[in-house]
Amino acid sequence: MAARRQLIAGNWKMNGLKADAGKLVGDLIQDVGKPGVVGCELLVCPPATLVSTVAGLLSGSAVVLGGQDCHAKASGAHTGDISAAMLRDAGATYAIVGHSERRTDHGESDGQVLAKAQAAQAAGLVAIVCIGETEAQYVAGQTLDVLARQIAGSVPASAKAATTVVAYEPVWAIGTGRTPTNDEIAAAHAHIRKELAKLTGEAAGIRLLYGGSVKPSNAAEILRLPDVDGALVGGASLNAADFAAIARACP
Ligand code: 13P
């Protein structure tokens, strides 16, 4: 098996107008986005309105592009939704599915997230399936059980390294400046890989990202933990210098 290449993914969430994207992507490419500058793979996931614009801006760079969500169906009467094929057509090669903000704001279930992941894969996108416990579940010591349940319910059993990334994002660590301890992150990732192996039969090549308050000051230690194959970055991905510093922290 080839070594897992680390992936540093920026989730811009509902942030950014055209002018912001031009500056952010321009600065990022200048810093770490030219081919061969950093060893990790770099991904940005702008809001849907900017996917096509950012595809143009990234042309010739080493940074790849993703969407933040897709519909489970390929097309049809779903006003306001975006299909995986549309993302692909606009230049994306990845799609985040099942982010906790989608699960909370839009009531997405594990079953719906599974269908979205399958739709992304069917359209030729790599699905980044997000899982993670709430603060109440963390405090109750249920983290590993929650992760096992979410993997069984929302990751396709056909998942392979080439089609699937799993992102562990504790809900209570997102945007809060708080993170689990390094031991807790390592234990969660080892557990995720074990559960993925049960589900898919072969999980050694699937990349596992940690997400939740990753910043330049904690990236190096988190990215060196066993079974951590990169990061899904929210707030710090909106600042080119911070995102570049995280990319440079890859081992
Ligand atoms: P923050 O990096 O802002 O905590 O967000 C993490 C996240 O939700 C990425 O998807």
Side-chain angles (χ1 to χ4, degrees):
M1 189 206 69
R4 297 184 300 265
R5 186 178 176 213
Q6 291 224 336
L7 171 65
I8 302 298
N11 174 9
W12 294 4
K13 308 192 178 183
M14 196 173 73
N15 295 292
L17 303 177
K18 258 188 269 184
D20 307 315
K23 168 102 177 81
L24 179 52
V25 171
D27 288 351
L28 186 64
I29 293 173
Q30 200 56 37
D31 201 337
V32 288
K34 302 213 176 94
V37 175
V38 287
C40 59
E41 185 176 3
L42 290 175
L43 166 67
V44 292
C45 300
T49 49
L50 289 177
V51 170
S52 194
T53 304
V54 172
L57 295 169
L58 291 177
S59 161
S61 80
V63 184
V64 295
L65 179 62
Q68 298 176 9
D69 177 51
C70 67
H71 197 274
K73 294 269 162 53
S75 64
H78 301 286
T79 302
D81 277 309
I82 290 171
S83 74
M86 290 170 183
L87 288 176
R88 179 106 182 115
D89 189 47
T93 50
Y94 283 81
I96 298 169
V97 295
H99 191 281
S100 69
E101 287 148 18
R102 300 280 325 166
R103 291 178 186 258
T104 302
D105 296 355
H106 300 271
E108 291 184 8
S109 64
D110 281 337
Q112 284 167 312
V113 175
L114 173 67
K116 288 178 177 217
Q118 288 167 329
Q121 293 168 343
L125 299 175
V126 178
I128 302 179
V129 183
C130 300
I131 57 175
E133 82 286 359
T134 63
E135 177 142 39
Q137 291 164 333
Y138 173 73
V139 170
Q142 297 167 347
T143 299
L144 300 186
D145 290 343
V146 170
L147 296 179
R149 198 164 64 233
Q150 290 179 326
I151 288 165
S154 54
V155 177
S158 61
K160 301 264 178 299
T163 62
T164 313
V165 172
V166 174
Y168 169 51
E169 298 205 307
V171 178
W172 54 273
I174 295 175
T176 60
R178 297 162 57 208
T179 59
T181 64
N182 289 342
D183 284 351
E184 286 171 330
I185 295 174
H189 279 240
H191 183 70
I192 291 167
R193 197 170 305 284
K194 185 169 70 89
E195 292 299 317
L196 276 177
K198 268 196 235 164
L199 178 74
T200 67
E202 170 55 68
I206 296 179
R207 290 180 292 181
L208 309 184
L209 311 184
Y210 169 77
S213 296
V214 175
K215 42 191 188 254
S217 59
N218 63 15
E221 55 181 295
I222 291 172
L223 292 169
R224 273 170 181 73
L225 296 172
D227 282 311
V228 174
D229 307 311
L232 183 53
V233 185
S237 75
L238 297 172
N239 179 300
D242 284 352
F243 193 62
I246 293 168
R248 273 194 233 96
C250 280

